[in-house]
Amino acid sequence: MEWIKPFMTERKYRRGDTLFKIHDTANEMFLTVTGKFLVKEINVEIPPGRLMGELGFLTPNNRRTGTVECIEDGQVLTITYERLLEIYFQSNQQFGYYILLLTSQRLLENNQRLQENISRLEATLAQEKAARETAAAHGIA
């Protein structure tokens, strides 16, 4: 991703700052340089060196899919989707492939997290049901 940095703008955030909120209109992508950030809805930390905000680039209505908050003072580099499209179409096929891989990876990770959450909820419900049935069998309400 080094080659894209000259096209990006630096921005600094302090702990507690919100970079964007779920369902906001998305118009830029971020590359974390320092600090830590949290995707609140799925409780995932984003360390330095990671892209974020790329899914909004690909959603049909360009909306954010999560809320990102700064949890440790940090610096990011940003690039508008408009500039990103220029680069994508004009110069670098590798970049297009990278974005495709990145978004596929994010979607698969999110799907895996969802499946794990469903499994945990099902296990909790089964335990609660077994406890209720045991209590009912022993006459405890």
Side-chain angles (χ1 to χ4, degrees):
M1 293 302 297
E2 288 299 315
W3 63 269
I4 199 171
K5 288 181 180 180
F7 302 101
M8 301 181 92
T9 304
E10 179 183 325
R11 198 176 295 157
K12 294 183 180 182
Y13 290 95
R14 308 238 355 127
R15 185 173 190 252
D17 288 347
T18 299
L19 282 70
F20 51 83
K21 294 180 182 176
I22 192 168
H23 306 303
D24 281 353
T25 299
N27 59 6
E28 63 187 342
M29 182 176 72
F30 301 77
L31 175 63
T32 59
V33 178
T34 62
K36 289 184 185 173
F37 303 87
L38 179 71
V39 182
K40 294 184 74 149
E41 290 78 9
I42 56 176
N43 199 34
V44 171
E45 280 190 26
I46 301 173
R50 298 280 306 269
L51 283 175
M52 60 183 171
E54 78 288 343
L55 288 178
F57 178 61
L58 300 173
T59 61
N61 57 1
N62 292 102
R63 296 289 176 177
R64 295 289 182 203
T65 59
T67 301
V68 173
E69 180 180 288
C70 180
I71 58 173
E72 179 182 286
D73 292 2
Q75 173 191 357
V76 300
L77 297 175
T78 66
I79 186 168
T80 65
Y81 292 163
E82 183 177 310
R83 185 69 174 125
L84 204 54
L85 275 175
E86 288 175 23
I87 294 169
Y88 178 82
F89 286 116
Q90 291 177 2
S91 60
N92 196 318
Q93 293 176 350
Q94 269 188 316
F95 176 69
Y97 185 67
Y98 175 78
I99 291 293
L100 178 65
L101 289 177
L102 176 66
T103 55
S104 297
Q105 177 185 355
R106 294 277 165 93
L107 291 172
L108 290 171
E109 287 171 356
N110 289 344
N111 187 49
Q112 178 65 33
R113 231 181 328 276
L114 179 61
Q115 291 298 325
E116 289 168 1
N117 286 340
I118 289 170
S119 294
R120 276 194 297 275
L121 287 171
E122 288 175 339
T124 300
L125 289 172
Q127 288 174 346
E128 289 174 0
K129 181 180 178 185
R132 282 192 308 272
E133 289 173 351
T134 299
H138 291 93
I140 303 169

